[in-house]
Amino acid sequence: MKTPIEPIERVIDELGKLPGIGRRSAERMAYHLLAASEKDAMALAVAIRDLKKRLHPCRVCGAVTDGDLCVFCSDPDRDRSAVCVVESQRDALALDETGAYRGLFHVLGGRLSPTAGTGPEQLSVEPLLARLDGGEIREVILATNPDLEGDGTAAFLAEMVERRSGAKISRLARGLSSGGQIELAGRDSLGAALANRQPLRGKA
Amino acid sequence: MKTPIEPIERVIDELGKLPGIGRRSAERMAYHLLAASEKDAMALAVAIRDLKKRLHPCRVCGAVTDGDLCVFCSDPDRDRSAVCVVESQRDALALDETGAYRGLFHVLGGRLSPTAGTGPEQLSVEPLLARLDGGEIREVILATNPDLEGDGTAAFLAEMVERRSGAKISRLARGLSSGGQIELAGRDSLGAALANRQPLRGKA
């Protein structure tokens, strides 16, 4: 249903550009906003504006922040000897939420991609290496995604980090998803689960 | 995943208030906006602001418009002897898009609902009756939704319209959905389809 009213159509268009939002959903949302109070609708418009105006990358790690340092870098309780290197902010938040890691992060802002034409100079690689120079960082966890480009990025970074520092370099473990089923697991995950099998008892 | 960065969290919150948008979708959308260019993200913020600032009800029929009269009332090619009464703007657009109707509309702005406490004075009933006074309107199509409250609203309006004008009063037909299946049709629809069966040939 094409709306002949330009301001409505424009909101539908713009909402339709968001990920996972089709024409129908965008219409429902636009008409909801139309019917909503001016206060409620404007709260969304202002929140989006603030998102773009108030946030910028942390000057140390590249995570977005509205301050000088991000929530990670400014936290005095974090272990400053470990840096976990991620492709995006969301990855950092997801890893942090596990509670299994209390070190610092470094946000690359993407991954190496020959097809997309993304090279090291488009990513926050040099700032990562510069962070190593202080000598405080003793472990670098390469937490790029477990896929072809993520693995390639990790391999590249491992070499760069090794040249620049004596820090331990690790990569997130591969294996079965917790709660998953062996018969449904992918061949690569299953292979990794076998190769990285964990000893339970007895000796080799 | 709770985001510890207030401007992002606020966008997620506001997007999450939209119909059909859960926390996960709101997150995806917010991070998409965060990564988008300022120009693209602001296009949505500005579109939402314009939606609220530029639109108001048509002074004749109540459909929203950015002008004095809406797209229907200002269209010189429409049949001014018929008015189709709908609950919402979207209903008017959906009916108009069929191409089966080229008359005018009247947007009630809801329907009578004893449970929600919506009475005739909250709806655009009096303006509808006032439109009949000119005598130009010779048919009133009551196109409120085919459910309990929509039927109640139509029954109420039918009585009001009858008192005020000699116009023909009709209601949208009930029956089977085109493309639907008889075995899956609801009892009411099936009953209506039987009661309103259309003669094909032969005589009664």
Side-chain angles (χ1 to χ4, degrees):
Chain A
M1 181 164 76
K2 180 93 176 161
T3 307
I5 302 149
E6 194 270 338
I8 300 180
E9 191 58 32
R10 198 144 49 85
V11 170
I12 295 172
D13 269 357
E14 294 297 336
L15 287 170
K17 291 176 186 167
L18 297 176
I21 304 300
R23 171 85 197 175
R24 280 261 161 198
S25 315
E27 280 179 8
R28 276 183 71 197
M29 291 159 72
Y31 280 96
H32 175 91
L33 288 168
L34 183 63
S37 72
E38 173 150 347
K39 181 171 158 286
D40 288 349
M42 285 308 289
L44 174 56
V46 169
I48 293 168
R49 193 194 59 200
D50 284 356
L51 183 74
K52 302 309 283 187
K53 304 279 182 201
R54 283 179 47 196
L55 295 184
H56 48 258
C58 168
R59 69 178 162 80
V60 174
C61 78
V64 293
T65 175
D66 52 356
D68 180 36
L69 292 173
C70 71
V71 284
F72 305 122
C73 290
S74 62
D75 182 348
D77 296 332
R78 288 194 172 256
D79 174 5
R80 280 161 197 280
S81 72
V83 167
C84 179
V85 181
V86 291
E87 295 179 17
S88 77
Q89 175 98 15
R90 295 195 73 179
D91 295 339
L93 293 171
L95 288 164
D96 183 59
E97 223 188 22
T98 63
Y101 177 72
R102 290 289 297 161
L104 300 176
F105 286 95
H106 192 85
V107 178
L108 290 172
R111 42 30 174 315
L112 297 179
S113 171
T115 52
T118 310
E121 58 294 339
Q122 272 99 54
L123 303 178
S124 176
V125 173
E126 194 43 49
L128 168 65
L129 300 177
R131 289 178 73 179
L132 301 174
D133 289 343
E136 199 184 3
I137 293 168
R138 290 193 305 275
E139 181 175 7
V140 177
I141 302 171
L142 298 172
T144 48
N145 279 304
D147 53 23
L148 200 65
E149 291 184 344
D151 286 342
T153 306
F156 170 82
L157 290 175
E159 197 165 318
M160 289 288 146
V161 170
E162 195 177 25
R163 280 193 210 164
R164 190 92 162 231
S165 109
K168 194 168 110 189
I169 303 171
S170 63
R171 181 116 176 82
L172 295 184
R174 301 273 176 103
L176 297 171
S177 298
S178 295
Q181 286 178 278
I182 288 176
E183 68 175 53
L184 299 178
R187 183 177 164 156
D188 289 349
S189 300
L190 221 42
L194 278 168
N196 304 327
R197 61 193 183 276
Q198 301 289 309
L200 285 181
R201 62 188 68 184
K203 291 195 178 128
Chain B
M1 180 165 76
K2 180 91 176 161
T3 306
I5 302 149
E6 194 270 338
I8 300 179
E9 192 58 34
R10 196 145 49 85
V11 170
I12 294 172
D13 268 357
E14 293 298 335
L15 288 170
K17 292 177 187 168
L18 297 175
I21 304 300
R23 169 87 196 175
R24 281 260 161 199
S25 314
E27 280 179 7
R28 277 183 70 197
M29 291 159 71
Y31 280 96
H32 175 91
L33 287 168
L34 182 63
S37 71
E38 174 150 346
K39 182 171 157 285
D40 288 350
M42 286 307 290
L44 174 56
V46 169
I48 293 168
R49 194 193 58 200
D50 284 356
L51 183 74
K52 302 309 284 186
K53 304 279 182 201
R54 284 178 47 196
L55 296 183
H56 48 257
C58 168
R59 69 178 163 79
V60 174
C61 78
V64 293
T65 175
D66 53 355
D68 180 35
L69 292 173
C70 71
V71 284
F72 305 121
C73 291
S74 62
D75 181 347
D77 295 332
R78 289 193 170 257
D79 173 6
R80 281 161 196 279
S81 72
V83 168
C84 178
V85 181
V86 290
E87 295 179 17
S88 77
Q89 176 98 12
R90 295 195 74 178
D91 295 340
L93 293 171
L95 288 163
D96 183 59
E97 223 188 21
T98 64
Y101 176 72
R102 290 290 296 163
L104 301 175
F105 287 95
H106 191 86
V107 178
L108 291 172
R111 26 87 146 290
L112 297 178
S113 170
T115 51
T118 312
E121 60 291 340
Q122 272 98 54
L123 304 177
S124 176
V125 173
E126 193 43 50
L128 168 65
L129 299 176
R131 288 178 74 179
L132 301 174
D133 289 344
E136 199 184 2
I137 292 165
R138 290 193 305 275
E139 181 174 7
V140 177
I141 303 171
L142 299 172
T144 48
N145 279 304
D147 54 22
L148 201 65
E149 291 183 344
D151 286 343
T153 307
F156 170 81
L157 290 175
E159 198 165 318
M160 289 287 147
V161 170
E162 194 176 26
R163 279 192 210 163
R164 189 91 161 231
S165 110
K168 193 168 111 189
I169 303 171
S170 63
R171 181 115 177 85
L172 294 184
R174 302 273 177 101
L176 297 172
S177 299
S178 295
Q181 286 178 277
I182 288 175
E183 68 175 54
L184 299 178
R187 184 178 164 154
D188 289 349
S189 301
L190 221 43
L194 278 168
N196 305 327
R197 62 192 182 276
Q198 301 289 310
L200 282 182
R201 58 188 70 184
K203 291 197 178 128

